[in-house]
Structures are given as C-alpha cells and as structure tokens.
Amino acid sequence: MSTPEDVRAEVKQWLADNWDPELSLLEWRRKLVDSGWSTPTWPAEWYGRGLPGWADPIVHEEFSAVGAVGPAVGGGMGLAAPTLLAHGSDDLKRRLLPRAITGEDTWCQLFSEPTNGSDLAGLATHAERDGDEWVVNGQKLWSTSAHHADLGLLLARTDPDVPKHRGISYFVLPMHQPGVEVRPVHQMNEHSSFNEVFMSDARVPADNLVGSPGDGWRIAMTTLAFERQFATVRARSTTKATGRAAEEAAAEAEEYYKTYAWYPQRAGRADLVQQVAELQGRTNDPIARQQMAGLVALRRAHEWTARRAQAARAAGRAPGSEGSLGKLAASRVAQASSRTHSLLAGADGQLSHGDSLLDGVITEVLLSVPAQSIAGGTDEIQHNIIGEKVLDLPREPSVDRDIPYREIRR
Ligand SMILES: Cc1cc2nc3c(=O)[nH]c(=O)nc-3n(C[C@H](O)[C@H](O)[C@H](O)COP(=O)(O)OP(=O)(O)OC[C@H]3O[C@@H](n4cnc5c(N)ncnc54)[C@H](O)[C@@H]3O)c2cc1C
C-alpha cells in the first residue's frame, strides 16, 4: 500500500524523467494516458493508478511545482469520464477515456428538453434500434457547449410501454452528422453558451449504448451527481508553464472558457461588493453594511460545506447529498450577492457596457444570477432531494410514476 510520501516521490521522479515542455500537447497528454498520472485515482487498468482520493492533491501539487500540463478541461473529464468509468462497456472506456484525457473529443450533455427539465424522466426524445444502430428523433434544449462538441451524453426513450423512469437509455451521440442540428440560444446577458439541439433520424452506433437498454435513469443519476460537484473540479494549474505543450493548453483553455465567461458573474461576484460600496460612497450606510456582513457570513458557511464535500471526495466517497447542499448554498450566496450589488448600485445597475459600474460587470451579475438557481437542477429540486434523501421525508406525490409512459397525459 503506497503512502503519501511514496506517491509524492514517485510522481516527482516520473515528472523529472518525462515532463518536456517542448512536446506537443497531444504527445504529452498521451504520456499522461499511458502513465496514469493525470488521473491517479482511476483504476490502474483504465488509465489511472488505482490510488485513494488523497493522492489527487499531492499529484496536483507536484504537477504545479514543475509547471506540467494536466488533462483537458471540460465536460469530458468532469461528466463523461466518471460516468463511463462507472457504467461504460470496456469497449467504450478503451475508445473514449484516453480521448477525454487528451481533449481530442469535447463533450456536451443532452438531457433537458423544452418541457422536461426538472421532470427529466418524462423526456420525449426517442431512439429505435435499426440493425447495428439506434435512430434518434427529438429535441434537446439548454445544451451547454453543444455548438463545439464532438460527442453528446444523450438520454432517449427506448421503451414507452414501461413507467417513465424505466424506459430511458443512455447513449454517446456523435454530434457531427447530418441528423444533428445545433442552434445557439441568445441569452438576456448577451452571451450564448447553450443551444437547442434537434435530432432528426440521427444515428448512434449500437456500441455507443452506455449500460443496458432501459438503464439510462440510473446512469444519468451518476452524471448529475458529478455535475453538482463539477464546479469544484480543478483544472491543473499551468501558470508556471512555458513551452509548446503549455502554450497549446493555454489556447485550448482560452477557447473553452469563452463559453463560460459569464459564469463568475452568475455566481454573484461577492468579491466585488466592497469595491462597489466604495465606488458608490455607501461604506458607512448601516443598511448596506448589514447586508454586506450577512453576505460574508453566508459565503464562509458555503466554503465550509464545499470543503466538507472535497474532503469526502478525497476520502474516496462517491458524490452524495453534500452536492445538493453545496449547490443550494451556491445559489443562496449568488442571490444575496446580487441583492447587495443591486442595493449598492441603485439605478446604475441598469446601465450596460461603458456607462455602467465596473464596465458592465455588475449589470451582468444582475442578469446572470438567476441561472445559478436553474442550471444542474433548480433550487426547488435540490430541496426535494435534500428532503427525501437526507431528511428521509416522504416522497413527493406523483401521479405518473407507475403507469406506462405511453399512458401519461401531456
Ligand atoms: C446556464 C444553464 C446551463 C444548462 N446546461 C445544461 C446542459 O448542458 N445540458 C442539459 O441537459 N441541461 C442544461 N441546463 C438545463 C437545466 O438542467 C434545466 O433548466 C433545469 O433542470 C430546469 O428545468 P426547466 O428549465 O425545464 O424548468 P422547469 O422544470 O420547467 O421548472 C420551472 C419551475 O418549476 C419548478 N419545479 C419544477 N418541478 C418541481 C417540483 N417537482 N417541485 C417543486 N418545484 C418544481 C422549478 O424549480 C422551476 O422554478 C442548463 C440550464 C442553465 C440555466
């Protein structure tokens, strides 16, 4: 059994022998795939080293110390890889996990539909088997990053004759094909990070089914649990890095983060509250001070919840209810921050661009914060999860849970 000291010594030595900043990003990441050092907690037979959760921060520190680049950022590593590790066939893991680490494939999540977000199990997109393929028809909505994704994590109904949770299957959909049309949605904060995705006789190879037909709901729960934690997944630091691999990684990250440029504003930008109070001459205003102090307290409490979740992951526990608590806390902080910014900014918060406070950032906060309480499952749904799974309260009443999907009135 390796100790933390052994792991530190081993990764240090491996980096000394292998890290070469002049390799291309792909060449370097292929070394990561072969060595298992980019994903040390994954099983040794699947591109990891089978180490416990405590190894991850140690390896991260050693990578940062020499400025070595880590695996690709994004939904491939954050959502697809953990789902495939838990439920994918050996063939899927062999084909797709290395490419998630190298960033050769980028991913999106095709779960929500125009009338099925919270009621995800009621989804209408359907897939029918046709020889070695499945043929998919339907529409998804809110699909973040679908406009530049190579692959989609797709939920589709494959059996309408059983109750809604039991007739869903989970697929890996190739996005670049004639049957898939992606249309960006223009948001009220002027960004465009999510899309409508229309599937018209789109084709999925039969080997791209994850798990068994009808097993999609259980597998989707794995993806959603990781999604609630996704915000805390760290990208390997490349700040010290120079050379070809680092430059290519920086360019990759810049492109990737364009989609998420407004996400810090969505989280409320509590870090700017003091500055805005000073700019507006409100630091001595007792109402503003009280609200700012309340925000600081809320943020601290949220940080401790997030650290408990990180400690649980480091101890090797699968993501659990702390994900819902953390997500809800993040919403509360964002809303409290937005209210405080609104109080401090007054009418200035309604201006945009150059005329407004901090070059439009505060206006963007006010327009973006509502998304924090929706994305990844709304606040009300987190309340339901906490009530049912943590507090063991009775299940929410449902009239359509046990009847065949086909008989549900819509
Ligand atoms: C920024 C952003 C990014 C997103 N990215 C993705 C993505 O990449 N892929 C993807 O698949 N989806 C994505 N989503 C979609 C997101 O998961 C859904 O918007 C969310 O689950 C809510 O579904 P809905 O929009 O259909 O709202 P609805 O489900 O229609 O909810 C409307 C209102 O009713 C409430 N409500 C619904 N059911 C209940 C209930 N049972 N009890 C109490 N209240 C209830 C809700 O809380 C909400 O206030 C994203 C959303 C946002 C905002």
Side-chain angles (χ1 to χ4, degrees), residues 79 108-120 140-146 153 187 193-194 224 227 260 262-263 266 370-381 384 396:
L79 304 180
C108 66
Q109 181 192 26
L110 302 171
F111 283 14
S112 307
E113 299 184 358
T115 51
N116 296 96
S118 301
D119 181 24
L120 185 59
K140 298 289 172 178
L141 180 57
W142 302 98
S143 317
T144 306
S145 287
L153 296 169
Q187 300 158 209
S193 61
F194 41 76
L224 291 178
E227 183 176 6
Y260 303 95
W262 60 283
Y263 274 39
R266 174 179 107 164
Q372 186 75 35
S373 305
I374 303 172
T378 66
D379 286 358
E380 289 76 17
I381 295 302
N384 284 349
E396 183 185 19

Side-chain angles (χ1 to χ4, degrees), residues 205-225:
D207 292 343
N208 280 20
L209 175 74
V210 184
S212 317
D215 220 8
W217 184 254
R218 189 174 66 92
I219 301 172
M221 291 306 104
T222 300
T223 311
L224 291 178

Side-chain angles (χ1 to χ4, degrees), residues 277-297:
E278 283 164 15
L279 283 171
Q280 298 291 86
R282 301 285 297 271
T283 47
N284 285 323
D285 175 336
I287 304 274
R289 288 169 70 91
Q290 188 172 328
Q291 205 152 317
M292 287 162 67
L295 176 61
V296 170

Side-chain angles (χ1 to χ4, degrees), residues 261-277:
W262 60 283
Y263 274 39
Q265 284 66 265
R266 174 179 107 164
R269 296 306 303 264
D271 58 311
L272 295 179
V273 160
Q274 172 81 22
Q275 193 182 348
V276 173

Side-chain angles (χ1 to χ4, degrees), residues 42-191:
W42 289 13
E45 65 272 36
W46 296 115
Y47 317 106
R49 300 186 72 88
L51 289 168
W54 52 253
D56 208 23
I58 294 176
V59 173
H60 177 68
E61 275 167 32
E62 294 305 319
F63 269 63
S64 298
V66 297
V69 173
V73 288
M77 291 300 289
L79 304 180
T83 306
L84 292 176
L85 273 173
H87 304 286
S89 64
D90 286 359
D91 167 59
L92 277 174
K93 287 191 275 212
R94 204 171 294 115
R95 274 195 286 133
L96 300 178
L97 290 178
R99 294 172 66 86
I101 295 173
T102 59
E104 285 167 275
D105 291 328
T106 56
W107 292 73
C108 66
Q109 181 192 26
L110 302 171
F111 283 14
S112 307
E113 299 184 358
T115 51
N116 296 96
S118 301
D119 181 24
L120 185 59
L123 58 87
T125 294
H126 53 97
E128 269 136 46
R129 185 75 190 243
D130 178 21
D132 288 342
E133 293 180 315
W134 292 84
V135 181
V136 187
N137 283 285
Q139 184 198 342
K140 298 289 172 178
L141 180 57
W142 302 98
S143 317
T144 306
S145 287
H147 51 299
H148 49 63
D150 301 305
L151 297 168
L153 296 169
L154 170 74
L155 290 182
R157 189 161 304 282
T158 47
D159 185 355
D161 293 315
V162 295
K164 61 181 183 177
H165 292 85
R166 301 221 306 264
I168 296 170
S169 300
Y170 196 119
F171 299 94
V172 175
L173 173 77
M175 295 292 287
H176 305 300
Q177 57 166 307
V180 176
E181 188 192 347
V182 179
R183 292 189 205 158
V185 174
H186 188 73
Q187 300 158 209
M188 69 177 174
N189 62 5
E190 297 191 346
H191 292 269

Side-chain angles (χ1 to χ4, degrees), residues 320-383:
S321 53
E322 69 275 357
S324 289
L325 292 169
K327 181 159 192 310
L328 200 52
S331 283
R332 294 266 164 87
V333 170
Q335 287 162 7
S337 186
S338 175
R339 274 197 304 275
T340 310
H341 278 306
S342 178
L343 173 82
L344 295 169
D348 288 353
Q350 294 183 20
L351 300 173
S352 63
H353 303 291
D355 292 333
S356 117
L357 272 170
L358 301 183
D359 209 16
V361 171
I362 301 307
T363 311
E364 190 164 294
V365 168
L366 304 184
L367 291 175
S368 304
V369 158
Q372 186 75 35
S373 305
I374 303 172
T378 66
D379 286 358
E380 289 76 17
I381 295 302
Q382 305 313 319
H383 281 138

